[in-house]
Amino acid sequence: MSKPVILTGIRSNEEPTLGNYLGAFLPIVKMQQEFAGDYQINMFVPDLHSFTTPVDHSSLYQNTLNNLKYFIASGLNINDQDTFIYRQSYIPAHSELTWILDCFTYVGEMSRMTQFKDKSNEHSESVTVGLFNYPVLMAADILLYGAKYVPVGEDQFQHLEITRDIATRFNNKFGDIFTIPDATGDQTKFIKRDSGLRIRSLTDPTKKMSKSNEDPKSKILLSDTPDEAIKKIMSATTDSVGAVNFDWDNQPGITSLLQILAMITGRPRDEVNAQWQGNTMYGEFKKAVAEAVAGFLTDFQARLNAIDDDTLMNKLQASEAAMSEVANATLLKAQVAVGLRPKVN
Ligand code: TYM
């Protein structure tokens, strides 16, 4: 019997941030460590998703390879035989299944996607069909491999829900073609969290930390030097309450820093909150967060620099060959279902 699949993807449109690391890289790496042997891990770069909004195309190919290295620097063990790393565009079944799913997806439901609405406001003069269609490609990414768990940040929950809706609709019409990923609530429990994760912007903690935010002070990049990260955290927006409290409503900046501190050090949230609760020295608190993040970046970047290009390429090519077979088998089932290929008895 094949093993249940845990799958996630990180676009290569911009340098990944600490939000990407905590929201997607770290959870899947932890799952790999915890469940080695029992699950298949698919960690891929959705390179086709990476230019739904404008990018510098001259660096896209290299950024994609860099992202793959970031997986390894995050602790992903690529020697594990149940772990696969790949580039979406190297497995054409992603694009082909997208077209089929497009024809079972309604414009009305797609128009409700908040990420599309937000991004199309930012790029209002040049909103592409690719940006609109992005969740269907994401559904194909997930359904091709029958993924059960898809560790993502909270901003992607709506896309997971639409994946479930499209797959359920397709199965209701054609029989048991796709494995439906677990509901986001169950996925969150599986990774032992009580809610989805949204690491906040350092300059406006009511918003998420986003790699596409043009203000460098709003985000910590995984390529920032430890000194740059320290400066950004020391100047992060907080509040005038004057004492540290874990309180998303009234002190989102401080609360976000508490969350970062707990996650980056791997300490229980309650323990970290109790240590700092009521402390009136914001500078001292920020310094502790800044040093923890700087220490993490130093180790992360040392691991990044130690990655051997040939080892990466060998794993990548072997994974792409193996995952093409899996993806093509699912695609064929869908093609047979809709009448593009003959039924085999
Ligand atoms: P992307 O590339 O924008 O982000 C990669 C992952 O990082 C998470 N993330 C965050 N988590 C917590 N706090 C934040 N501030 C934060 N910012 C980003 C995202 O939720 C995501 O998990 N559509 C996806 C890529 C994708 C994908 C897939 C993911 C394409 N196909 C299939 C899973 C399965 C995206 O744009 O992620």
Side-chain angles (χ1 to χ4, degrees):
M1 259 248 329
S2 55
K3 299 180 178 174
V5 177
I6 304 174
L7 173 148
T8 205
I10 291 102
R11 286 179 305 148
S12 48
N13 55 332
E14 307 270 353
E15 283 282 328
T17 67
L18 191 64
N20 297 132
Y21 173 76
L22 296 175
F25 291 66
L26 186 62
I28 202 163
V29 166
K30 278 194 179 161
M31 287 180 188
Q32 185 193 47
Q33 288 162 353
E34 193 170 344
F35 303 120
D38 296 332
Y39 286 84
Q40 175 181 318
I41 306 280
N42 282 25
M43 199 160 172
F44 74 104
V45 181
D47 49 356
L48 294 168
H49 272 114
S50 302
F51 51 100
T52 51
T53 51
V55 296
D56 173 4
H57 287 271
S58 64
S59 48
L60 182 61
Y61 183 78
Q62 194 54 44
N63 286 351
T64 300
L65 289 179
N66 287 347
N67 256 21
L68 291 157
K69 290 189 180 176
Y70 282 1
F71 298 173
I72 303 173
S74 298
L76 190 77
N77 173 13
I78 57 164
N79 295 322
D80 173 34
Q81 57 176 13
D82 296 324
T83 294
F84 300 92
I85 56 171
Y86 51 93
R87 294 160 289 188
Q88 184 187 42
S89 73
Y90 278 70
I91 304 181
H94 289 247
S95 308
E96 293 187 32
L97 183 61
T98 300
W99 179 261
I100 295 177
L101 298 180
D102 271 341
C103 299
F104 298 91
T105 306
Y106 302 127
V107 170
E109 61 189 341
M110 291 285 276
S111 309
R112 288 193 288 276
M113 296 292 111
T114 36
Q115 197 174 64
F116 172 73
K117 288 196 262 182
D118 292 350
K119 291 213 167 152
S120 47
N121 285 339
E122 280 167 36
H123 302 270
S124 51
E125 70 299 341
S126 55
V127 180
T128 65
V129 176
L131 182 65
F132 185 66
N133 202 25
Y134 162 124
V136 185
L137 178 56
M138 181 160 164
D141 298 339
I142 295 167
L143 299 175
L144 280 173
Y145 306 95
K148 181 170 167 64
Y149 296 113
V150 186
V152 285
E154 195 187 48
D155 61 311
Q156 297 298 321
F157 279 11
Q158 212 184 10
H159 298 159
L160 277 186
E161 293 301 346
I162 202 173
T163 299
R164 284 167 50 82
D165 292 344
I166 298 169
T168 306
R169 186 176 304 141
F170 198 90
N171 283 358
N172 285 343
K173 194 168 169 70
F174 297 110
D176 216 4
I177 308 289
F178 296 124
T179 303
I180 315 281
D182 274 14
T184 48
D186 295 330
Q187 305 218 10
T188 306
K189 274 191 220 131
F190 179 70
I191 58 169
K192 301 189 186 74
R193 290 189 52 82
D194 45 20
S195 60
L197 186 71
R198 186 157 67 109
I199 298 295
R200 308 299 177 96
S201 151
L202 295 176
T203 47
D204 178 357
T206 61
K207 302 224 166 76
K208 77 160 186 170
M209 183 183 288
S210 167
K211 53 183 157 179
S212 52
N213 188 323
E214 275 165 20
D215 180 359
K217 284 196 182 142
S218 69
K219 56 192 177 186
I220 305 282
L221 300 178
L222 295 178
S223 57
D224 277 347
T225 65
D227 278 348
E228 281 165 344
I230 289 175
K231 283 199 194 95
K232 290 181 187 180
I233 292 176
M234 293 309 290
S235 66
T237 303
T238 52
D239 54 64
S240 53
V241 173
V244 172
N245 292 293
F246 191 90
D247 177 351
W248 283 116
D249 291 336
N250 300 309
Q251 297 184 256
I254 288 286
T255 306
S256 177
L257 293 178
L258 279 167
Q259 183 177 47
I260 291 174
L261 183 58
M263 292 191 77
I264 211 84
T265 55
R267 290 171 59 203
R269 194 176 71 185
D270 292 348
E271 183 188 302
V272 171
N273 292 353
Q275 182 189 349
W276 291 98
Q277 166 76 31
N279 193 309
T280 54
M281 314 282 275
Y282 280 9
E284 191 187 325
F285 168 59
K286 281 180 163 177
K287 193 157 170 256
V289 181
E291 280 173 0
V293 171
F296 155 74
L297 286 175
T298 307
D299 296 345
F300 181 90
Q301 288 163 8
R303 288 194 296 269
L304 192 65
N305 292 332
I307 294 167
D308 171 49
D309 286 347
D310 290 344
T311 312
L312 173 72
M313 267 339 247
N314 290 341
K315 176 72 183 183
L316 189 56
Q317 281 160 2
S319 294
E320 284 169 353
M323 287 305 103
S324 285
E325 283 189 22
V326 176
N328 287 341
T330 311
L331 175 65
L332 181 59
K333 281 206 243 169
Q335 288 171 322
V336 171
V338 300
L340 291 170
R341 296 287 181 276
K343 281 202 171 65
V344 230
N345 294 314

